[in-house]
Amino acid sequence: MRVVVTSPFAGEAFTRVLKGVEVAVAPVLKLTPVKVEGEAVASAVSNSDLVVFVSGRAAYRLREEGIRLDLAGKIVATAEGRKGAVMVKNAFGVEPQLVADSAEELARLIESCRVATVFHHGERAEDLMKRLSSLCSRAYEFFTYRAVPDDEALRALPPGEIYVFFSALAAELVARGGGTC
């Protein structure tokens, strides 16, 4: 049996844990860190009642940049399920109150806000931003990294019995016909 994993980091763990199973690592996205202006982020978060991490990786990138956030009294949300919630808690010590499996689902869960700060994943969460623009008086947006499709990896995606996607964006790219699964 072959398991195809889209995360190089997870691929190493899968290889160690899955005995007797071939693990193929196929990183279909290239993640490029973006420099984040710490003062702008701190100012936006201090003015916000809602702070959204579309991806848990965004929380980790902020910590890598040395940015500390005071999230006390804020509604904290993630659109990456329990994985995102754990990453936000690891990075900033708070458990998100709103946890959804996608940005679209999170958009439906948010009922109100005064001002929001959104940390996007590799691309802009359009449905979420439309919802926030209808609910909030202001929504700050930040990118901590850009996710760019790796066209070569998509074309060369190996066949497998099981595919494990570590981001919705990777799954969407493959589903759009970029790969063979």
Side-chain angles (χ1 to χ4, degrees):
M1 176 186 339
R2 178 186 285 169
V3 175
V4 180
V5 181
T6 63
S7 166
F9 306 111
E12 293 172 16
F14 274 60
T15 300
R16 283 191 307 271
V17 173
L18 297 177
K19 303 298 180 200
V21 174
E22 179 186 354
V23 176
V25 178
V28 297
L29 292 173
K30 293 178 186 176
L31 300 181
T32 306
V34 173
K35 178 72 176 149
V36 181
E37 177 54 49
E39 288 181 26
V41 166
S43 175
V45 168
S46 71
N47 291 318
S48 297
D49 58 322
L50 172 66
V51 179
V52 177
F53 295 91
V54 176
S55 163
R57 182 177 289 278
Y60 282 177
R61 276 288 304 131
L62 291 170
R63 287 304 301 236
E64 288 169 8
E65 290 286 316
I67 297 171
R68 301 202 186 283
L69 300 180
D70 180 5
L71 298 174
K74 314 286 183 198
I75 297 170
V76 178
T78 183
E80 200 173 28
R82 291 300 314 149
K83 173 187 164 196
V86 167
M87 294 171 87
V88 170
K89 186 169 185 177
N90 287 346
F92 296 109
V94 299
E95 187 78 37
Q97 297 96 323
L98 294 175
V99 178
D101 290 326
S102 68
E104 296 80 14
E105 179 186 349
L106 183 59
R108 292 188 297 273
L109 292 176
I110 298 170
E111 296 177 359
S112 67
C113 74
R114 185 180 48 78
V115 177
T117 297
V118 178
F119 298 101
H120 290 286
H121 63 327
E123 64 181 16
R124 190 171 192 260
E126 295 294 340
D127 289 344
L128 176 63
M129 294 313 299
K130 285 178 190 172
R131 176 74 172 156
L132 292 176
S133 69
S134 73
L135 292 174
C136 307
S137 64
R138 173 91 198 247
Y140 298 95
E141 300 179 73
F142 296 95
F143 287 86
T144 58
Y145 64 93
R146 295 283 185 188
V148 179
D150 184 331
D151 294 329
E152 185 177 319
L154 281 165
R155 281 191 298 278
L157 191 68
E161 286 74 32
I162 298 172
Y163 290 79
V164 182
F165 295 98
F166 282 86
S167 78
L169 184 55
E172 290 167 10
L173 284 170
V174 172
R176 283 187 232 159
T180 61
C181 77

